[in-house]
Amino acid sequence: MKQVIKIKPFDTLYFRTGRPFTMGSETWADIMFPPSPSTFYGAIRSFLIFQRGGLKEFEEKGYEDIGKIIKDKNGERIVKKGTLRISGLFLYKSELLFPSPLDLVEKDKKEKDKKLIPLTLINRPKIFISDYPLKKVLIYKPKEKAEEPSGWLTSINFKDYLKNRKKEFNFLKHNELYLQEPKIGIAREPETLTSKEGHLYRIPMIRLNKKVSFVLEIDDLSDKYPFPEEGIFQLGGEGRAVRYEILKEDILSNLKNIEFKFENNLFKIYLATPAIFKKGWLPKWIDEKSFEGTYNGLKVKLIACAIGRPL
């Protein structure tokens, strides 16, 4: 059974990247926003474990949906995942919001007139110095300057983007949805509680605007233990409290029911959250030399991509 939940923080949140951060060695911690879906998966899983009795009960019997503890061949205790799945992770402000697709760029106009426009797909030029391996490239043809995409598309603009119905797109800027608030701290000596020399640090916190929240979809929960209709759990690097509620309206249905007309045997895939493939940026079922592969019986060939920098 699928359920859409809306999550609203009470205060600021902190989402670290995977880069090391040690007080005394570094003074500035990196942030990843929007956060990885695994951050929410772990928080929800922990919430369900304690909501059903706690770690002791989980260790003794486990649950079909949120997992159980087993021993491997060496006797090591490991956690085996259950059927709990989450899909999608979106910002929400009266409608779903999507990070700017990377095959769009910002026109370098006045701040108020900024638009996102799509790159053009062309054959790879003969004079092309790059380790980019594909046969086609995405380029920006106009003479005026352009910048990397930033900001968010609303559901309406996103549907137009997917169906290729527009050549320009309005977008929401980051500061219309959330702000970064630096938090300054310092480590203390455990015995005297005095400040440690050289251990001043700063971490960027995220504060969502009042009307902005997170939305994600949860499925495969046990019928015996349905997801509570509302509640509070901890989220992010400092375990800040957030409130959630199950939405009665399926706000994802409009996107799920889009009808596409495929022309020229071409289509594109947009990834709303970071992809973690076994070959890095490339799905495992695509050959690294021919860039061909078969997925669910459909033979495809990758001809171009816009993947951005690794996170």
Side-chain angles (χ1 to χ4, degrees):
M1 182 176 65
K2 294 182 180 289
Q3 292 175 315
V4 178
I5 67 171
K6 179 180 176 183
I7 300 167
K8 181 70 179 174
F10 291 106
D11 201 351
T12 54
L13 296 171
Y14 174 47
F15 301 108
R16 270 187 60 188
T17 65
R19 295 176 181 174
F21 172 70
T22 306
M23 289 180 293
S25 301
E26 296 88 17
T27 58
W28 176 257
D30 292 318
I31 191 172
M32 180 178 175
F33 195 87
S36 166
S38 61
T39 301
F40 285 79
Y41 185 91
I44 290 170
R45 196 165 172 274
S46 298
F47 164 72
L48 292 174
I49 288 173
F50 285 98
Q51 187 258 340
R52 296 177 186 180
L55 279 175
K56 184 177 180 181
E57 186 174 344
F58 173 70
E59 289 181 356
E60 289 176 352
K61 64 176 186 178
Y63 298 95
E64 180 184 347
D65 51 359
I66 55 178
K68 60 182 178 180
I69 294 178
I70 61 173
K71 291 186 178 181
D72 64 11
K73 294 179 181 178
N74 300 319
E76 295 287 334
R77 295 167 73 251
I78 58 175
V79 177
K80 184 178 180 181
K81 292 181 181 178
T83 57
L84 170 66
R85 296 183 62 192
I86 65 172
S87 54
L89 171 59
F90 312 100
L91 287 189
Y92 181 78
K93 185 181 180 183
S94 70
E95 60 180 315
L96 294 176
L97 303 171
F98 297 84
S100 301
L102 296 178
D103 63 338
L104 303 180
V105 292
E106 288 185 30
K107 273 189 175 181
D108 190 18
K109 289 185 173 182
K110 294 180 181 179
E111 192 70 21
K112 292 182 180 179
D113 299 328
K114 278 200 170 184
K115 303 276 188 181
L116 293 178
I117 63 171
L119 297 173
T120 303
L121 182 68
I122 65 167
N123 290 324
R124 177 173 170 157
K126 292 182 179 179
I127 302 175
F128 188 79
I129 303 172
S130 173
D131 60 357
Y132 176 84
L134 301 176
K135 289 188 175 181
K136 293 183 180 288
V137 294
L138 293 157
I139 67 165
Y140 179 70
K141 284 188 173 181
K143 293 182 179 180
E144 67 262 27
K145 292 182 180 180
E147 302 171 359
E148 289 186 12
S150 63
W152 301 72
L153 294 183
T154 62
S155 292
I156 295 174
N157 281 318
F158 184 63
K159 287 172 72 172
D160 288 336
Y161 161 79
L162 291 178
K163 295 178 76 69
N164 198 27
R165 287 194 295 218
K166 284 186 179 180
K167 298 301 180 184
E168 288 189 345
F169 301 93
N170 294 317
F171 66 101
L172 295 174
K173 297 169 188 172
H174 296 309
N175 59 11
E176 296 179 70
L177 305 173
Y178 60 88
L179 298 173
Q180 278 197 31
E181 296 183 3
K183 174 186 173 183
I184 297 175
I186 191 167
R188 297 196 298 178
E189 297 287 356
E191 295 84 9
T192 62
L193 300 183
T194 57
S195 300
K196 277 188 178 181
E197 185 175 348
H199 282 66
L200 187 70
Y201 66 90
R202 183 170 64 164
I203 57 177
M205 309 293 287
I206 292 292
R207 183 180 297 278
L208 296 186
N209 292 355
K210 287 185 178 180
K211 295 183 179 180
V212 179
S213 55
F214 298 105
V215 164
L216 54 84
E217 187 177 62
I218 296 179
D219 58 17
D220 289 337
L221 270 182
S222 167
D223 292 334
K224 185 179 178 181
Y225 299 99
F227 204 93
E229 291 191 3
E230 59 181 21
I232 294 173
F233 62 86
Q234 292 179 308
L235 179 67
E238 294 194 334
R240 298 294 181 93
V242 296
R243 181 185 180 275
Y244 80 87
E245 61 177 320
I246 294 177
L247 297 181
K248 295 180 180 178
E249 175 190 4
D250 185 3
I251 58 176
L252 301 175
S253 59
N254 287 335
L255 286 171
K256 292 177 181 177
N257 298 326
I258 297 178
E259 292 185 4
F260 294 102
K261 293 181 180 179
F262 294 103
E263 299 175 354
N264 302 323
N265 290 324
L266 296 178
F267 66 93
K268 76 171 76 171
I269 296 175
Y270 166 87
L271 302 174
T273 57
I276 305 174
F277 298 124
K278 289 190 175 180
K279 296 181 183 178
W281 65 276
L282 194 66
K284 68 177 182 179
W285 47 271
I286 293 182
D287 182 73
E288 295 179 68
K289 293 183 178 179
S290 66
F291 295 102
E292 295 180 352
T294 301
Y295 188 78
N296 285 349
L298 179 67
K299 187 176 181 180
V300 298
K301 181 171 183 177
L302 181 65
I303 59 172
C305 63
I307 58 174
R309 298 172 183 173
L311 298 175

